[in-house]
């Protein structure tokens, strides 16, 4: 197992190098003069030069890359143009709300998604299946910003149960955004649980269980479900990217002070060091989660490790 | 392993489909999938709206009417009016053109580039394959919408750049799917016979392998249009896509969110139309997959 984990981590190094290069190139890909763009329309020549100097854009390309990588390895992501604060601090301030939000979304996406999937598989081709799968395909098709706005209208404006936005109300301010964020993944998980469980229920050992006289509940929850959840784990991991992208939108809808809103605010202010760092952070998170999913998958399904 | 199975199942099916037109055979199976069939009709309706929309709108979608601001839905204005007194239904009808053309052209661009990469990768193998798949890995390392936001942050907001951004994250998935299909087809007997009678590589790829991958491409194209509509609408909603004053559905939502609470219909209808459109493309994609790509079926 450890061998497999180490092999996987070493295998990521080239990918990480390429990604950090792509993200380093980010500022250089901006059409025109990035320093002028960041300094703003009304900036004087001196101000533009100041931005150029502070970002090191006057240095030769290779030197810029080396110092970028050096800083990166020391955890230095540069300074925000808008506030002058270190980018690392800005990001660390926003990490916890976003993590809480994504975590809560995944939790209830798993709980409700698996429940719908199990009901659909057990009552295959009957009305609970049709209803469950209709819910699932609707969940995939719902624009999460619209779902967020509908939830605000319903539960905040009409019923007054939850705040309309922000994160001042403790756990209450997490309920609606995490619901809006998790709906799509919930739907995916429901579909995969269903198809995976349907396949498992066709297998020999299930028939043996039935022949032995086990009850339906004990077959599904005691034997079949455990074997069906392996692909579900993979899907949940792969969909994590969807969650990261979604958090940008949902945080905007709910004025939620997380990483996603920071990204959108930074784009409006053309605060490129922050944008750059955020995209790096999002993709690192994505790669890390996929790695964890792979490891978990190989743990659950040892055949993979020896390929 | 996979290709052997493929040959076996295809020889098994031959007696059934013998001497039948491929399309008719497809249509006979597809017709039975009711949700997909209705979705197909809905998509046709949308395409029709794109073409004749501006000629059938009940009101001028751009004409403000300051006597009828923020009116709730009535018989005159079925979806109500917006903050300038414009008819929301008319704006949605006209907006179909911009919303759909952005998404469809983005997916089309991604499909073409991804398919070419996938064919080349699958057919030539070796270092070409490795290089292309590594590029895809890098693109896959960025979450879809984050990649799109990054591209728009570089290129600037606007419809053209949204198309490029959304096309970009369609490339790697198509490249992988088409590569997989190519690898399977490549091993089949008829490709070998083509090679043995001296067909050129380009001819084999273009005339023999590419046609076999078309069903898979159609399935994923349809499904990805749904996702692309959501992504493009999200970008517009974030203020990074279509001009906020245009009648793009995402932009309409972005402008109207300030009126939530007092005039909820401003938010409700554009979102509902996005939802139904994406739902139709997803159901259509599901139905097409069941018929055209049965091995990924449940």
């Amino acid at each position: 197992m450890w061998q497999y984990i180490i092999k996987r981590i070493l295998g990521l190094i080239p990918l990480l190098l390429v990604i950090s290069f792509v993200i380093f190139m980010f500022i250089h890909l901006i059409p025109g003069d990035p320093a002028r763009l960041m300094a703003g329309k009304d900036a004087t020549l001196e101000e533009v030069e100041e931005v150029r100097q502070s970002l090191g854009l006057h240095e030769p390309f290779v030197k810029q890359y080396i110092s970028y990588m050096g800083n990166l390895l020391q955890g230095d992501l540069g300074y925000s143009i808008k506030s002058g604060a270190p980018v690392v601090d800005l990001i660390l301030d926003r990490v916890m709300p976003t993590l809480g939000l994504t975590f809560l979304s995944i939790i209830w996406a798993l709980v409700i998604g698996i429940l719908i999937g199990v009901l659909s598989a057990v009552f295959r081709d009957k009305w609970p299946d049709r209803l469950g799968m209709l819910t699932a395909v609707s969940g995939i098709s719902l624009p999460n910003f619209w779902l967020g706005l509908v939830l605000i209208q319903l539960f905040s404006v009409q019923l007054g149960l939850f705040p309309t936005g922000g994160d001042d109300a403790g756990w209450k301010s997490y309920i609606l955004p995490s619901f809006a964020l998790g709906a799509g993944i919930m739907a995916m998980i429901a579909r995969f649980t269903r198809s995976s469980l349907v396949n498992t229920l066709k297998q020999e050992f299930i028939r043996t269980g039935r022949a032995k006289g086990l009850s339906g509940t004990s077959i599904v929850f005691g034997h079949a479900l455990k074997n069906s959840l392996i692909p579900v784990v993979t899907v949940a991991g792969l969909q994590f990217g969807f969650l990261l992208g979604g958090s940008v939108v949902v945080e905007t809808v709910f004025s939620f002070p997380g990483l996603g809103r920071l990204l959108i605010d930074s784009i409006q202010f053309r605060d490129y060091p922050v944008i750059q760092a955020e995209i790096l952070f999002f993709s690192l998170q994505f790669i890390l989660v996929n790695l964890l999913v792979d490891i978990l998958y190989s743990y659950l399904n040892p055949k993979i490790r020896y390929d | 392993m996979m290709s052997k199975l493929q040959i076996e199942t295809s020889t098994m099916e031959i007696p059934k489909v013998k001497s039948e037109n491929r399309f008719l055979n497809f249509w006979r199976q597809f017709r039975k999938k009711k949700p997909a069939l209705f979705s197909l009709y809905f998509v046709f309706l949308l395409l029709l709206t794109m073409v004749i929309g501006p000629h059938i709108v009940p009101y001028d979608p751009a004409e403000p009417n300051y006597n009828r601001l923020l009116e709730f839905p009535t018989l005159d204005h079925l979806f109500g009016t917006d903050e300038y007194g414009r008819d929301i239904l008319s704006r949605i009808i006209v907006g179909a053109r911009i919303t759909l053309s952005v998404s469809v052209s983005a997916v089309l661009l991604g499909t073409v580039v991804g398919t070419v990469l996938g064919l080349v990768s699958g057919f030539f193998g070796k270092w070409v394959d490795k290089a292309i798949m590594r590029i895809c890995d890098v693109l896959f390392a960025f979450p879809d919408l984050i990649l799109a936001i990054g591209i728009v942050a570089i290129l600037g907001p606007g419809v053209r750049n949204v198309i490029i951004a959304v096309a970009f994250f369609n490339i790697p998935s198509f490249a992988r799917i088409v590569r997989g299909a190519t690898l399977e087809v490549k091993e089949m007997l008829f490709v070998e016979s083509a090679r043995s009678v001296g067909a050129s590589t380009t001819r084999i790829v273009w005339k023999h392998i590419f046609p076999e991958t078309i069903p898979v491409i159609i399935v994923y194209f349809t499904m990805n249009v749904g996702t692309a509509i959501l992504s493009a609408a999200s970008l517009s909603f974030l203020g990074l896509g279509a001009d906020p004053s245009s009648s793009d559905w995402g932009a309409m939502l972005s402008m109207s969110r300030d009126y939530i609470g007092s005039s909820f219909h401003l938010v409700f209808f554009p979102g509902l139309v996005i939802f139904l459109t994406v739902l139709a493309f997803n159901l259509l994609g599901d139905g097409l997959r069941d018929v055209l790509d049965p091995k990924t079926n449940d």
Side-chain angles (χ1 to χ4, degrees):
Chain A
M1 190 70 210
W2 279 109
Q3 229 178 340
Y4 173 79
I5 295 177
I6 291 167
K7 208 177 92 190
R8 281 302 321 268
I9 293 176
L10 289 179
L12 281 180
I13 291 175
L15 182 66
L16 290 176
L17 279 175
V18 176
I19 285 168
S20 56
F21 180 71
V22 171
I23 289 176
F24 161 74
M25 283 301 291
F26 189 84
I27 279 187
H28 298 269
L29 288 171
I30 299 166
D33 179 3
R36 164 140 287 275
L37 219 66
M38 279 181 258
K41 266 187 205 140
D42 313 317
T44 60
L45 260 179
E46 287 78 42
E47 283 168 329
V48 174
E49 270 321 299
E50 205 178 306
V51 171
R52 197 188 313 280
Q53 299 279 338
S54 72
L55 290 172
L57 290 172
H58 58 294
E59 305 268 16
F61 186 76
V62 178
K63 199 177 166 204
Q64 280 186 48
Y65 180 62
I66 292 170
S67 67
Y68 172 78
M69 286 307 286
N71 290 340
L72 196 62
L73 291 174
Q74 293 168 41
D76 177 2
L77 295 169
Y79 295 87
S80 158
I81 290 176
K82 186 184 148 206
S83 66
V87 174
V88 178
D89 293 353
L90 287 177
I91 287 184
L92 287 179
D93 269 357
R94 302 291 191 103
V95 167
M96 284 326 280
T98 300
L99 271 188
L101 194 61
T102 29
F103 190 66
L104 200 62
S105 313
I106 277 277
I107 294 286
W108 81 254
L110 278 170
V111 171
I112 301 184
I114 291 177
L115 191 72
I116 293 180
V118 169
L119 286 175
S120 293
V122 171
F123 297 100
R124 194 178 169 201
D125 293 331
K126 304 210 178 68
W127 69 265
D129 183 20
R130 292 189 202 290
L131 185 68
M133 287 305 105
L134 187 69
T135 315
V137 76
S138 307
I140 295 170
S141 313
L142 271 174
N144 47 18
F145 47 92
W146 185 62
L147 179 60
L149 292 169
V150 171
L151 291 173
I152 292 177
Q153 174 73 18
L154 217 63
F155 291 100
S156 309
V157 178
Q158 306 273 353
L159 299 172
L161 290 175
F162 301 104
T164 52
D167 75 334
D168 313 321
W171 63 271
K172 272 191 173 179
S173 40
Y174 282 81
I175 301 295
L176 295 185
S178 67
F179 199 90
L181 185 55
I185 312 226
M186 179 275 287
M188 303 259 184
I189 290 175
R191 282 172 77 142
F192 273 83
T193 308
R194 177 189 179 274
S195 68
S196 171
L197 190 57
V198 163
N199 276 331
T200 315
L201 287 174
K202 280 183 201 152
Q203 283 176 14
E204 294 283 320
F205 74 95
I206 297 295
R207 210 184 311 164
T208 314
R210 269 193 232 281
K212 243 172 40 173
L214 289 180
S215 73
T217 336
S218 124
I219 285 179
V220 171
F221 289 99
H223 300 269
L225 190 58
K226 208 165 54 184
N227 283 284
S228 312
L229 286 183
I230 295 175
V232 177
V233 169
T234 325
V235 175
L238 288 177
Q239 292 307 317
F240 190 75
F242 184 77
L243 214 58
L244 291 177
S247 74
V248 178
V249 178
V250 169
E251 284 177 12
T252 306
V253 173
F254 286 91
S255 314
F256 197 82
L259 287 171
R261 260 199 73 78
L262 180 64
L263 179 61
I264 295 305
D265 292 344
S266 313
I267 289 178
Q268 263 149 17
F269 283 98
R270 298 182 184 280
D271 199 343
Y272 286 103
V274 182
I275 305 175
Q276 216 177 359
E278 282 241 25
I279 292 179
L280 179 70
F281 190 78
F282 274 122
S283 63
L284 286 184
Q285 232 181 319
F286 189 40
I287 292 171
L288 187 71
V289 169
N290 280 335
L291 176 72
L292 290 177
V293 168
D294 275 357
I295 291 171
L296 188 64
Y297 189 62
S298 74
Y299 174 74
L300 294 172
N301 189 2
K303 265 188 284 179
I304 303 292
R305 261 177 277 165
Y306 303 106
D307 277 353
Chain B
M1 186 65 192
M2 205 57 192
S3 56
K4 254 186 207 158
L5 275 176
Q6 186 66 24
I7 290 170
E8 269 168 31
T9 48
S10 52
T11 42
M12 271 159 56
E13 276 167 11
I14 283 176
K16 259 190 286 172
V17 294
K18 191 171 53 183
S19 76
E20 261 186 26
N21 181 317
R22 224 171 153 177
F23 179 76
L24 274 180
N25 186 48
F26 155 77
W27 181 245
R28 202 158 296 152
Q29 286 180 18
F30 181 79
R31 221 172 34 183
K32 287 185 214 137
K33 317 264 173 202
K34 291 293 174 239
L37 192 64
F38 282 119
S39 302
L40 184 67
Y41 295 148
F42 188 74
V43 169
F44 275 135
L45 193 71
L46 284 172
L47 294 178
L48 192 69
T49 312
M50 272 176 80
V51 179
I52 61 166
H55 306 289
I56 55 160
V57 285
Y59 295 89
D60 181 346
E63 177 80 34
N65 180 348
Y66 295 105
N67 297 320
R68 311 196 67 166
L69 301 182
L70 294 170
E71 265 181 27
F72 278 97
T74 53
L75 278 179
D76 292 2
H77 296 277
L78 286 176
F79 287 3
T81 62
D82 69 3
E83 68 271 32
Y84 298 107
R86 296 174 297 192
D87 181 49
I88 292 178
L89 176 63
S90 306
R91 295 196 39 148
I92 288 177
I93 291 175
V94 171
R97 192 176 276 188
I98 166 166
T99 308
L100 290 173
S101 56
V102 167
S103 320
V104 171
S105 42
V107 182
L108 205 61
L109 189 62
T111 309
V112 171
V113 178
T115 301
V116 171
L117 288 176
L119 282 172
V120 170
S121 189
F123 189 79
F124 291 101
K126 299 196 189 92
W127 67 269
V128 182
D129 181 32
K130 284 214 177 87
I132 292 178
M133 285 303 113
R134 286 299 88 80
I135 295 173
C136 289
D137 284 347
V138 172
L139 287 177
F140 268 125
F142 299 96
D144 288 0
L145 198 60
I146 302 290
L147 180 65
I149 290 175
I151 292 172
V152 174
I154 294 174
L155 299 177
V159 168
R160 191 192 53 146
N161 296 339
V162 167
I163 294 178
I164 296 174
V166 175
F168 241 95
F169 69 70
N170 275 292
I171 292 174
S173 55
F174 273 102
R176 274 203 187 166
I177 292 159
V178 173
R179 171 181 177 269
T182 309
L183 285 177
E184 253 173 56
V185 178
K186 201 169 95 173
E187 302 301 324
M188 287 188 185
L189 263 182
F190 71 90
V191 173
E192 213 171 304
S193 15
R195 209 194 303 261
S196 66
V197 296
S200 72
T201 304
T202 332
R203 192 184 157 84
I204 292 177
V205 172
W206 188 243
K207 288 270 181 189
H208 297 286
I209 295 186
F210 172 65
E212 293 298 311
T213 60
I214 289 178
V216 185
I217 295 174
I218 293 176
V219 170
Y220 285 93
F221 180 84
T222 315
M223 291 183 166
N224 286 19
V225 168
T227 322
I229 294 173
L230 284 183
S231 313
S234 300
L235 289 172
S236 293
F237 178 78
L238 293 171
L240 303 173
D243 178 4
S245 62
S246 74
S247 46
D248 174 84
W249 298 340
M252 283 176 76
L253 263 169
S254 155
M255 290 301 279
S256 59
R257 53 187 279 237
D258 298 336
Y259 297 91
I260 189 169
S262 55
S263 308
F264 186 58
H265 61 279
L266 257 67
V267 173
F268 183 73
F269 290 108
L272 184 69
V273 175
I274 297 178
F275 167 55
L276 291 176
T277 306
V278 178
L279 185 65
F281 276 102
N282 282 337
L283 288 171
L284 181 60
D286 280 355
L288 289 173
R289 186 195 54 197
D290 289 350
V291 179
L292 293 176
D293 191 19
K295 60 178 184 299
T296 52
N297 212 340
D298 304 339

